[in-house]
Amino acid sequence: MAQLTKESKFLLAVGILATAAMIVAGTFVNVFLIRATEGNLGLLVVQNIINSITLLIAFVGGSKLLAKIAITTLLKIGIASMAFYFIAILILQDNVATFLIPLALFNGLGGGLYWFATNLLIAKVIKESEQGRYFGFQQTAGSIFGVITPAISGFIITRFTDLTGYYILFGISFVLFALAAIMIRNIPGFTSQTKIHVYDVLKLKGNRYWNACKLFTFTNALKDIINGQIFMLFAFLIFVNEGVMGNILSATALITVFSSFWFAKISKRENQQPFYLVTAVIMTAMYILLAIFPTVPVLIAALVIFAVIQNWAGTILQSVIFQLTSRAKGDYEQNDYLVALEFPTALGRVLGMAVALVLIHLITADMYVYRILFVVIAIAWVLEYIIIEKQVKWFRDELQEEKTFD
């Protein structure tokens, strides 16, 4: 955490703990739910659509609440709501299918307030010169948990009978969420009477930075929601056993640790474009291969390659969003854009899940649904790169001007 301020370090710590909690509970949560709902993939998709809509409402609602409630308090409420989601699953056990839709409301509420508060705190606390390191270290920490968690989670799940192992994981996740909430007291809170011009920003035209940001986040959200909801189910269909899956995921995550740490050290604005181009091309190729050849060797090869390069895109994506929103300014503040950005993000998530839902109803075999969705993900990787290239040329003109000025 070198070269980060004290406040940046505490914010990073909270983010790392919350991320760890999400990884512990989330690695196999969809496998758990597909079992608990007796293979009802459509119900899982509907839950995620409701979760995405609720997240949007909570995210925008946070901008209204900020006038009376400190940003750090909103962050705590968000973390508590996400923790409740997993604890509720723990309590409900075999009855979770009945309450899956209401639970999505709590998960969406938690995610919305968490990301609203986190984004605003990052914009206020993290300097642009720190962003590469901040997001890089965040990715590295997530990767470290990614090494430990899948193997241990898979072992715990297979070690105990029925779904007991899952309940243990959800309990561990709750503890990590609680630690994150405790750490928040070290971050200075603030309220704001400033009106956030969400709808005015959404109607804004002719701002290339804002246009790029909207399209970029929409495409990324569509791609990520599909991948996040189906990839582990696809892997389970291929590997069959959670223990095997956990060991492979931990092995590949070890590669991610070194890759993330290396990228955090060398990441800077000047090399974002070439790294994202390489990542987009390779990721596109691998998803197309998975769609054509859904086999164990191809899946393992994909996991290894993803482990090496996927975190590069994650670090760059977050940095690019904050660069775009800081330059879009005009008559509005960066916070206006960060809040309004949740609308194209939510639209991408809902559309991604809607595509999945339509395919589930049209195609009876889940494997073919996964294969088509992998093609959609591949196309989205290409579009992401093209959007930033077409709209702002990956900031090359600005970087050249800065060098000339220097």
Side-chain angles (χ1 to χ4, degrees):
M1 285 182 277
Q3 297 182 21
L4 293 180
T5 63
K6 181 180 178 181
E7 291 79 8
S8 299
K9 291 177 182 178
F10 280 123
L11 184 57
L12 179 61
V14 171
I16 288 172
L17 286 168
T19 299
M22 295 175 201
I23 291 174
V24 168
T27 300
F28 290 105
V29 68
N30 279 348
V31 176
F32 167 82
L33 291 175
I34 205 72
R35 286 187 166 190
T37 60
E38 298 180 350
N40 194 335
L41 183 58
L43 182 60
L44 265 65
V45 171
V46 172
Q47 184 214 28
N48 278 284
I49 291 174
I50 293 173
N51 175 74
S52 297
I53 295 171
T54 308
L55 192 152
L56 170 63
I57 295 171
F59 197 100
V60 176
S63 65
K64 305 293 184 183
L65 295 172
L66 190 58
K68 297 181 178 179
I69 303 175
I71 190 77
T72 47
T73 301
L74 293 176
L75 184 58
K76 289 177 184 177
I77 295 172
I79 288 175
S81 296
M82 288 191 291
F84 177 79
Y85 171 74
F86 292 108
I87 286 298
I89 291 176
L90 177 63
I91 295 170
L92 291 169
Q93 299 187 13
D94 292 338
N95 298 314
V96 69
T98 306
F99 298 93
L100 197 57
I101 302 304
L103 284 177
L105 299 175
F106 282 97
N107 199 26
L109 172 66
L113 291 179
Y114 173 80
W115 288 114
F116 167 79
T118 298
N119 285 348
L120 263 63
L121 283 167
I122 288 173
K124 185 176 181 65
V125 174
I126 310 299
K127 300 175 183 177
E128 189 168 292
S129 60
E130 293 181 307
Q131 286 177 2
R133 287 183 175 275
Y134 177 88
F135 293 126
F137 282 121
Q138 191 176 57
Q139 290 275 344
T140 301
S143 300
I144 291 173
F145 283 108
V147 173
I148 302 169
T149 301
I152 294 177
S153 298
F155 173 78
I156 291 173
I157 290 169
T158 54
R159 174 68 177 79
F160 294 91
T161 57
D162 299 324
L163 300 175
T164 304
Y166 286 100
Y167 305 139
I168 293 172
L169 294 179
F170 297 152
I172 294 171
S173 176
F174 176 80
V175 172
L176 291 170
F177 274 128
L179 290 174
I182 292 170
M183 287 294 293
I184 294 173
R185 65 184 180 182
N186 297 298
I187 302 171
F190 62 89
T191 57
S192 176
Q193 297 294 332
T194 303
K195 180 182 177 182
I196 296 181
H197 305 84
V198 176
Y199 303 109
D200 292 333
V201 169
L202 287 172
K203 293 186 294 183
L204 186 64
K205 296 180 180 179
N207 187 316
R208 64 188 179 117
Y209 296 108
W210 176 232
N211 290 338
C213 210
K214 285 189 296 184
L215 293 170
F216 189 54
T217 53
F218 167 80
T219 307
N220 181 263
L222 186 149
K223 176 197 72 181
D224 280 2
I225 192 69
I226 293 174
N227 185 71
Q229 298 308 314
I230 71 160
F231 194 86
M232 288 301 295
L233 296 177
F234 168 77
F236 182 66
L237 201 59
I238 299 295
F239 291 130
V240 181
N241 183 280
E242 292 99 330
V244 173
M245 286 173 62
N247 290 334
I248 293 173
L249 290 173
S250 286
T252 54
L254 184 61
I255 300 171
T256 303
V257 171
F258 293 107
S259 177
S260 296
F261 188 74
W262 171 77
F263 191 71
K265 283 186 165 296
I266 61 96
S267 178
K268 53 186 178 180
R269 290 170 60 201
E270 290 83 354
N271 61 22
Q272 288 179 339
Q273 180 268 334
F275 272 104
Y276 211 93
L277 176 59
V278 169
T279 303
V281 170
I282 296 176
M283 294 294 284
T284 298
M286 290 312 303
Y287 275 107
I288 290 175
L289 280 174
L290 281 172
I292 299 172
F293 306 108
T295 61
V296 170
V298 175
L299 179 56
I300 292 175
L303 287 170
V304 171
I305 292 171
F306 293 170
V308 175
I309 66 173
Q310 195 166 16
N311 63 88
W312 301 352
T315 299
I316 295 170
L317 177 138
Q318 293 178 82
S319 181
V320 165
I321 287 174
F322 279 92
Q323 289 177 64
L324 290 169
T325 52
S326 69
R327 287 161 174 75
K329 294 279 184 82
D331 295 329
Y332 305 103
E333 298 297 322
Q334 185 175 22
N335 287 350
D336 295 324
Y337 292 101
L338 288 173
V339 175
L341 201 57
E342 192 58 29
F343 278 86
T345 301
L347 181 60
R349 290 172 181 151
V350 171
L351 183 59
M353 287 294 91
V355 170
L357 193 60
V358 169
L359 289 174
I360 289 167
H361 284 289
L362 292 177
I363 303 172
T364 55
D366 288 348
M367 178 58 75
Y368 287 102
V369 173
Y370 299 147
R371 294 168 78 172
I372 294 171
L373 290 175
F374 283 155
V375 174
V376 174
I377 293 171
I379 294 170
W381 271 104
V382 175
L383 288 176
E384 281 181 2
Y385 177 85
I386 292 173
I387 287 166
I388 303 300
E389 176 63 32
K390 183 178 179 181
Q391 294 289 332
V392 296
K393 299 181 180 178
W394 284 90
F395 309 105
R396 287 193 298 272
D397 293 343
E398 294 179 20
L399 290 169
Q400 186 60 43
E401 288 178 8
E402 290 174 9
K403 289 180 180 178
T404 302
F405 182 77
D406 291 339

